[in-house]
Amino acid sequence: MSRIMKKALILGTIGFWIGILIGLTVWYLSSQGEPGGLTLSGHSLFELLAGGIYGAVSMGSSAVYDVDRWSILRVTFTHFIISFSGFWVLAAIQGWLLINNPFFWLGVMLFIWAYITIWFVNFLIYSKKVKEINNALEDIKGEKSSD
């Protein structure tokens, strides 16, 4: 098994449990003050499982960023397509995929906005790190030429 596949499995497992925890948190917060409170049903287990699967798909697919021979555009587009496809499929399975429902389209827009925001923040962080490394290399290169 390749290094990238191993990383995808590890990240996917972590993402699954994070998705479950997020689902539990939403479930807990949404049931406060309701009669019956936290009742476990087949539907709630299905919702938790869907959250876990979405977390696994999103986090596991981030292993594509380790494919060195791909451009940043190709890696980002691949990760976006995998993540968005996971969102789309799970929304359809859970009955959220009602194309004529404006709330579904709001969810799509929020997903795209969040994805772009997270990507841009990471891009800025990594750009700063690359600049620092390049400056350190220039300093090392300057010290060697002065010797």
Side-chain angles (χ1 to χ4, degrees), residues 39-75:
T39 55
L40 193 60
S41 67
H43 179 72
S44 57
L45 286 174
F46 178 70
E47 294 287 328
L48 290 174
L49 179 63
I53 292 169
Y54 184 70
V57 168
S58 294
M59 240 175 123
S61 65
S62 68
V64 298
Y65 283 97
D66 286 356
V67 180
D68 295 329
R69 63 187 181 276
W70 286 6
S71 70
I72 189 69
L73 180 63
R74 182 177 178 185
V75 170

Side-chain angles (χ1 to χ4, degrees), residues 16-32 38-40 44-45 47-52:
F16 179 82
W17 291 109
I18 290 172
I20 295 284
L21 288 174
I22 290 171
L24 284 170
T25 303
V26 170
W27 182 40
Y28 174 77
L29 294 175
S30 66
S31 67
Q32 293 300 305
L38 296 171
T39 55
L40 193 60
S44 57
L45 286 174
E47 294 287 328
L48 290 174
L49 179 63

Side-chain angles (χ1 to χ4, degrees), residues 89 96 122:
V89 168
W96 302 346
N122 282 324

Side-chain angles (χ1 to χ4, degrees), residues 99-113:
I99 300 215
N100 59 348
N101 185 339
F103 290 109
F104 172 75
W105 291 108
L106 177 64
V108 168
M109 291 297 123
L110 286 173
F111 179 91
I112 292 170
W113 176 81

